[in-house]
Amino acid sequence: MAKSVQQLGALMRKEFLLEWRQRYALNGMLLYIVGAVFVCYLSFNARRGQLTPIVWNTLFWIILLFTAINAIAKSFVQERAGRQLYYYTLASPQQIILSKILYNTTLMVVLALLGFSVYAFVLGNPVNDVPLYVLTLLLGAIGFAASLTLVSGIASKAENPATLMAVLSFPTILPLLLMLLKISKNALDGLDRSVSWNEIIIILAVDAIVLTLSWLLFPFLWRS
């Protein structure tokens, strides 16, 4: 058990080091968030109050969705065959997929909180229940990271991984996104938190299913 935790920690450290050495990718994601928020600000002329809360919420989740796809799509696509074979000799497939999911979750949490801060600062903050909205961001970060990491692993085995990633990601993410939009809308309106419990339980169930599928199916995908 201790050895497995140590290997998992080493794999996550590797992910952070690779991201730090390729800072242009992280800077690109940050620039994408800031640029998208600024374009929304100019397009809707927010100074005149033309941006309604429901449009505010929808635009934010669209920005976050495309940020997640751009951030996580490279999880396996950038890995060369020789490097994957080397990882196969060092750790189990379950540890590899779990380390990537944990790293992508951490990355998405940071990007989601940063994006929300910039978005609320530039376009205003109409959210009445901020803790519930932040909880929705955390649930969304976990769901996006788990689902898109598995899809990235599947797409990396194809000849055109970028196209396959785009095709597979939206049907996978759409049910999760609908639940997140509903909870965040409840947070915007300041409704009682008990109204959102069903959606929260559904999101947790979806996240658990995706994590279980990743744990069970990724070894077969990795051997191919």
Side-chain angles (χ1 to χ4, degrees), residues 138-193:
L138 297 179
L139 293 174
I142 297 173
F144 288 162
S147 301
L148 293 177
T149 301
L150 181 59
V151 171
S152 177
I154 297 173
S156 65
K157 302 299 181 180
E159 295 181 358
N160 195 346
T163 303
L164 187 60
M165 178 74 185
V167 172
L168 293 179
S169 59
F170 282 99
T172 307
I173 292 298
L174 186 58
L176 179 65
L177 185 61
L178 292 176
M179 294 294 103
L180 292 171
L181 284 171
K182 189 170 183 179
I183 300 175
S184 57
K185 180 62 169 56
N186 295 338
L188 276 171
D189 297 336
L191 300 180
D192 190 87
R193 297 180 182 178

Side-chain angles (χ1 to χ4, degrees), residues 58-114:
T58 305
L59 282 176
F60 175 70
W61 281 105
I62 290 175
I63 294 173
L64 196 60
L65 173 62
F66 282 96
T67 301
I69 294 175
N70 292 329
I72 302 175
K74 57 184 176 56
S75 295
F76 288 96
V77 175
Q78 68 177 0
E79 301 282 4
R80 297 180 179 179
R83 183 183 294 178
Q84 291 181 1
L85 181 61
Y86 177 64
Y87 293 158
Y88 187 79
T89 62
L90 294 179
S92 66
Q94 289 88 350
Q95 290 175 333
I96 292 173
I97 187 65
L98 185 59
S99 65
K100 287 187 176 291
I101 290 176
L102 290 176
Y103 167 75
N104 289 329
T105 299
T106 304
L107 179 62
M108 279 308 305
V109 168
V110 173
L111 291 176
L113 294 178
L114 180 62

Side-chain angles (χ1 to χ4, degrees), residues 44 49-61 116 119 123-128 133 181 184-190:
F44 288 89
Q50 296 181 1
L51 193 62
T52 60
I54 189 170
V55 176
W56 184 95
N57 186 47
T58 305
L59 282 176
F60 175 70
W61 281 105
F116 176 70
Y119 195 73
L123 297 176
N125 183 14
V127 180
N128 290 313
Y133 203 91
L181 284 171
S184 57
K185 180 62 169 56
N186 295 338
L188 276 171
D189 297 336

